[in-house]
């Protein structure tokens, strides 16, 4: 066989891209494009090729493209500031709504009731301030007294008198009110008198006496045979209640809407309240010695 009849590869000659038999003119390339005569095929697209990114995004599903667009979040500085402002606005509205709900109870009250509530708060505040000053003065006297033992003895005697008044073992006198409950129909029961005592204590009563019975912390009320008994002792009508305390606080506490006076009047009882500069509470109780309790102070 002659050398000219050999194929070009056997003769050592390079084969051109448009050599007949290998790739025809206008033949398709690997990516579907058509290459012309002598056109070289470029290298495969690398990672930074935008076309490759577009083709990879085209291969994603709709859900994957949505997740890729949402996460991770890309917040600008303006968006962050707007979010903080909206959070602060929402917090302020929540606080305002809560404050409005808390004050809604007093909105339905009448002007007279609001004035009475304010007066009671002012009176209680004044009593607490007076008590604070008194205790501060006692502390100053104990600290500055030349004879602290004598001052301590004096304070002990005063404390004994105060506890005796509260326990009902000593007589007491001072400003207060006298309540007279005329129950001609006998419709007043023991729980009504108990409500009266509790209302007086809440208003600052320091000593209470009903007829000839001293009312203390352990006093109990009961009904027996159509009559009222206090600590087992029968009290008769009309019921006279002597109270030592600040009259400006005690009387309004009884006359509040739906209070003691209105409740007694609904039972056809007549209630009269009189202020006095000097009320004497002289009904006494015997000091009972405890059988088991002992002082723990040393």
């Amino acid at each position: 066989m002659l050398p000219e009849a050999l194929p070009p590869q056997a003769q050592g000659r390079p084969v051109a891209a448009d050599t007949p038999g290998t790739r025809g003119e206008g033949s398709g390339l690997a990516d579907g494009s058509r290459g012309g005569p002598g056109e070289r095929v470029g290298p495969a697209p690398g990672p930074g090729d935008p076309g490759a990114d577009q083709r990879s995004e085209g291969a994603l599903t709709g859900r994957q493209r949505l997740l890729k667009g949402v996460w991770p979040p890309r917040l600008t500085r303006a968006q962050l500031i707007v979010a903080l402002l909206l959070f602060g606005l929402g917090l302020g509205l929540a606080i305002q709504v809560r404050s409005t709900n808390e004050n809604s109870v007093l909105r339905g009250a009448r002007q007279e009731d609001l004035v009475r509530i304010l007066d009671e708060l002012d009176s209680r505040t004044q009593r607490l301030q007076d008590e604070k000053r008194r205790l501060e003065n006692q502390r100053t006297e104990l600290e500055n007294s030349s004879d602290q033992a004598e001052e301590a003895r004096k304070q002990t005697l005063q404390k004994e008198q105060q506890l005796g008044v509260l326990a009902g073992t000593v007589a007491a006198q001072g400003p207060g009110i006298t309540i007279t409950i005329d129950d001609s129909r006998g419709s007043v029961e023991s729980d009504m008198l108990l409500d009266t005592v509790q209302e007086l204590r809440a208003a600052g009563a320091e000593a209470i006496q009903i007829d000839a019975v001293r009312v203390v912390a352990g006093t109990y009320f009961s009904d027996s045979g159509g009559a009222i008994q206090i600590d087992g002792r029968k009290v008769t009508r009309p019921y006279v209640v002597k109270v030592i305390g600040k009259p400006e606080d005690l009387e309004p506490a009884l006359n509040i809407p739906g209070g003691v006076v209105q409740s007694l009047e609904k039972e056809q009882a007549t209630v009269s309240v009189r202020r006095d500069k000097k009320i004497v509470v002289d009904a006494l109780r015997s000091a009972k010695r405890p059988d088991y309790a002992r002082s723990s102070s040393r």
Side-chain angles (χ1 to χ4, degrees):
M1 180 179 295
L2 297 176
E4 289 76 10
L6 294 175
Q9 293 85 345
Q11 296 179 10
R13 292 179 295 176
V15 181
D18 54 351
T19 303
T22 60
R23 188 185 303 267
E25 184 176 353
S27 61
L29 298 178
D31 57 356
S33 62
R34 301 178 62 86
E39 184 179 359
R40 299 180 60 187
V41 179
D49 188 0
D53 295 338
Q54 295 178 358
R55 289 190 295 274
S56 62
E57 291 180 358
L60 298 176
T61 63
R63 179 179 298 180
Q64 291 174 340
R65 287 197 300 271
L66 178 60
L67 293 176
K68 185 176 181 181
V70 174
W71 189 263
R74 300 177 179 86
L75 293 178
T76 63
R77 185 176 183 181
Q79 291 174 340
L80 182 59
I81 293 176
V82 171
L84 291 176
L85 291 176
L86 291 176
F87 174 76
L89 179 61
L91 182 61
L93 289 175
I95 295 175
Q96 182 66 25
V97 170
R98 182 176 180 182
S99 177
T100 302
N101 292 334
E102 291 177 353
N103 296 331
S104 61
V105 178
L106 297 178
R107 288 185 176 180
R110 297 182 304 174
Q111 183 177 3
E112 295 81 359
D113 297 338
L114 294 176
V115 172
R116 179 188 55 78
I117 292 174
L118 290 176
D119 292 340
E120 290 182 359
L121 290 176
D122 292 340
S123 300
R124 293 180 182 180
T125 302
Q126 185 63 37
R127 290 201 305 269
L128 292 175
Q129 291 178 352
D130 294 341
E131 182 68 15
K132 177 184 176 182
R133 285 192 294 266
R134 186 182 65 81
L135 294 175
E136 289 177 349
N137 293 334
Q138 290 181 0
R139 183 185 63 182
T140 303
E141 291 176 359
L142 289 173
E143 291 176 350
N144 301 331
S145 177
S146 58
D147 188 359
Q148 295 185 359
E150 182 64 25
E151 186 64 26
R153 189 178 300 108
K154 185 189 301 184
Q155 296 292 339
T156 301
L157 293 176
Q158 293 179 358
K159 195 68 174 179
E160 181 182 0
Q161 292 294 324
Q162 294 174 2
L163 294 177
V165 171
L166 296 177
T169 57
V170 297
Q173 66 180 13
I177 61 175
T178 300
I179 308 169
T180 303
I181 303 174
D182 188 6
D183 180 25
S184 58
R185 299 181 56 183
S187 58
V188 176
E189 298 180 352
S190 60
D191 58 344
M192 298 179 183
L193 290 183
L194 178 59
D195 292 339
T196 303
V197 171
Q198 291 177 341
E199 192 67 38
L200 291 170
R201 285 175 174 171
E206 298 176 352
I208 303 175
Q209 175 178 330
I210 301 178
D211 288 351
V213 181
R214 186 72 169 267
V215 178
V216 295
T219 298
Y220 64 92
F221 296 77
S222 62
D223 295 312
S224 177
I228 298 177
Q229 292 187 355
I230 303 177
D231 290 338
R233 298 176 60 181
K234 181 180 178 181
V235 292
T236 59
R237 299 187 294 267
Y239 309 112
V240 179
V241 184
K242 297 180 180 180
V243 187
I244 296 178
K246 189 176 181 180
E248 293 78 7
D249 295 338
L250 298 174
E251 185 177 0
L254 299 175
N255 293 316
I256 60 175
V260 173
V261 174
Q262 287 189 0
S263 299
L264 291 172
E265 288 176 350
K266 287 181 179 180
E267 301 298 331
Q268 304 301 320
T270 303
V271 182
S272 63
V273 181
R274 185 181 73 252
R275 297 187 184 185
D276 293 319
K277 294 183 179 180
K278 182 179 180 181
I279 298 292
V280 178
V281 175
D282 52 3
L284 303 180
R285 300 177 66 95
S286 60
K288 183 179 179 181
R289 181 182 180 87
D291 296 329
Y292 306 100
R294 295 293 181 271
S295 176
S296 60
S297 61
R298 296 181 179 178

